[in-house]
mmCIF file of all heavy atoms in Angstrom:
data_model
loop_
_atom_site.group_PDB
_atom_site.id
_atom_site.type_symbol
_atom_site.label_atom_id
_atom_site.label_comp_id
_atom_site.label_asym_id
_atom_site.label_seq_id
_atom_site.Cartn_x
_atom_site.Cartn_y
_atom_site.Cartn_z
ATOM 1 N N ASP T 13 52.131 -19.883 -36.289
ATOM 2 C CA ASP T 13 51.165 -18.864 -36.198
ATOM 3 C C ASP T 13 50.574 -18.916 -34.732
ATOM 4 O O ASP T 13 50.447 -17.874 -34.078
ATOM 5 C CB ASP T 13 49.929 -19.140 -37.138
ATOM 6 C CG ASP T 13 50.501 -18.807 -38.567
ATOM 7 O OD1 ASP T 13 51.492 -18.133 -38.692
ATOM 8 O OD2 ASP T 13 49.822 -19.249 -39.527
ATOM 9 N N MET T 73 21.537 -14.024 14.617
ATOM 10 C CA MET T 73 21.074 -14.343 13.305
ATOM 11 C C MET T 73 20.042 -15.479 13.304
ATOM 12 O O MET T 73 19.009 -15.300 12.737
ATOM 13 C CB MET T 73 22.239 -14.670 12.397
ATOM 14 C CG MET T 73 22.981 -13.440 11.904
ATOM 15 S SD MET T 73 24.196 -13.846 10.683
ATOM 16 C CE MET T 73 23.185 -13.940 9.251
ATOM 17 N N GLY T 91 39.529 -25.487 17.849
ATOM 18 C CA GLY T 91 40.636 -24.779 18.686
ATOM 19 C C GLY T 91 41.456 -25.914 19.360
ATOM 20 O O GLY T 91 42.800 -25.866 19.315
ATOM 21 N N ARG T 101 41.853 -17.086 10.123
ATOM 22 C CA ARG T 101 42.211 -16.507 8.785
ATOM 23 C C ARG T 101 41.202 -16.684 7.776
ATOM 24 O O ARG T 101 40.789 -15.899 6.944
ATOM 25 C CB ARG T 101 43.580 -17.196 8.435
ATOM 26 C CG ARG T 101 44.783 -16.566 9.168
ATOM 27 C CD ARG T 101 46.020 -17.117 8.598
ATOM 28 N NE ARG T 101 47.206 -16.957 9.385
ATOM 29 C CZ ARG T 101 47.750 -15.917 9.808
ATOM 30 N NH1 ARG T 101 47.378 -14.836 9.283
ATOM 31 N NH2 ARG T 101 48.804 -15.971 10.587
ATOM 32 N N ASP T 128 15.992 -5.445 -19.057
ATOM 33 C CA ASP T 128 16.129 -6.676 -19.779
ATOM 34 C C ASP T 128 17.456 -6.667 -20.471
ATOM 35 O O ASP T 128 18.070 -7.678 -20.666
ATOM 36 C CB ASP T 128 14.939 -6.917 -20.617
ATOM 37 C CG ASP T 128 13.678 -7.313 -19.891
ATOM 38 O OD1 ASP T 128 13.953 -7.839 -18.725
ATOM 39 O OD2 ASP T 128 12.585 -7.118 -20.364
ATOM 40 N N MET T 155 49.526 -12.517 -12.306
ATOM 41 C CA MET T 155 50.427 -11.716 -13.084
ATOM 42 C C MET T 155 50.415 -10.188 -12.616
ATOM 43 O O MET T 155 51.397 -9.487 -12.477
ATOM 44 C CB MET T 155 50.197 -11.756 -14.566
ATOM 45 C CG MET T 155 50.729 -13.019 -15.160
ATOM 46 S SD MET T 155 49.988 -13.274 -16.807
ATOM 47 C CE MET T 155 50.952 -12.011 -17.737
ATOM 48 N N PRO T 175 26.129 -16.185 -7.902
ATOM 49 C CA PRO T 175 24.774 -16.457 -7.319
ATOM 50 C C PRO T 175 24.254 -15.233 -6.555
ATOM 51 O O PRO T 175 22.959 -15.098 -6.527
ATOM 52 C CB PRO T 175 25.121 -17.581 -6.365
ATOM 53 C CG PRO T 175 26.506 -17.620 -6.217
ATOM 54 C CD PRO T 175 27.139 -17.076 -7.460
ATOM 55 N N PHE T 198 -0.215 4.541 -5.616
ATOM 56 C CA PHE T 198 0.034 5.564 -4.607
ATOM 57 C C PHE T 198 0.925 6.580 -4.984
ATOM 58 O O PHE T 198 1.349 7.430 -4.147
ATOM 59 C CB PHE T 198 0.133 4.924 -3.269
ATOM 60 C CG PHE T 198 -1.081 4.377 -2.678
ATOM 61 C CD1 PHE T 198 -1.385 3.070 -2.830
ATOM 62 C CD2 PHE T 198 -1.889 5.260 -2.019
ATOM 63 C CE1 PHE T 198 -2.586 2.483 -2.299
ATOM 64 C CE2 PHE T 198 -3.056 4.664 -1.459
ATOM 65 C CZ PHE T 198 -3.463 3.313 -1.608
ATOM 66 N N LYS T 242 46.578 -17.574 3.166
ATOM 67 C CA LYS T 242 46.807 -18.359 4.385
ATOM 68 C C LYS T 242 45.453 -18.750 4.945
ATOM 69 O O LYS T 242 44.416 -18.139 4.603
ATOM 70 C CB LYS T 242 47.641 -17.737 5.451
ATOM 71 C CG LYS T 242 49.010 -17.493 5.039
ATOM 72 C CD LYS T 242 49.885 -17.085 6.282
ATOM 73 C CE LYS T 242 51.222 -16.491 5.801
ATOM 74 N NZ LYS T 242 51.459 -15.343 6.526
ATOM 75 N N HIS T 288 6.818 -13.403 7.245
ATOM 76 C CA HIS T 288 5.510 -12.610 6.974
ATOM 77 C C HIS T 288 4.862 -12.970 5.745
ATOM 78 O O HIS T 288 3.691 -12.652 5.494
ATOM 79 C CB HIS T 288 5.793 -11.169 7.064
ATOM 80 C CG HIS T 288 6.450 -10.732 8.383
ATOM 81 N ND1 HIS T 288 6.015 -11.109 9.554
ATOM 82 C CD2 HIS T 288 7.658 -10.025 8.553
ATOM 83 C CE1 HIS T 288 6.801 -10.638 10.443
ATOM 84 N NE2 HIS T 288 7.748 -9.991 9.876
#
Side-chain angles (χ1 to χ4, degrees):
Chain T
D13 292 339
M73 285 186 74
R101 286 188 200 284
D128 285 334
M155 278 170 76
F198 283 93
K242 292 199 196 127
H288 306 312

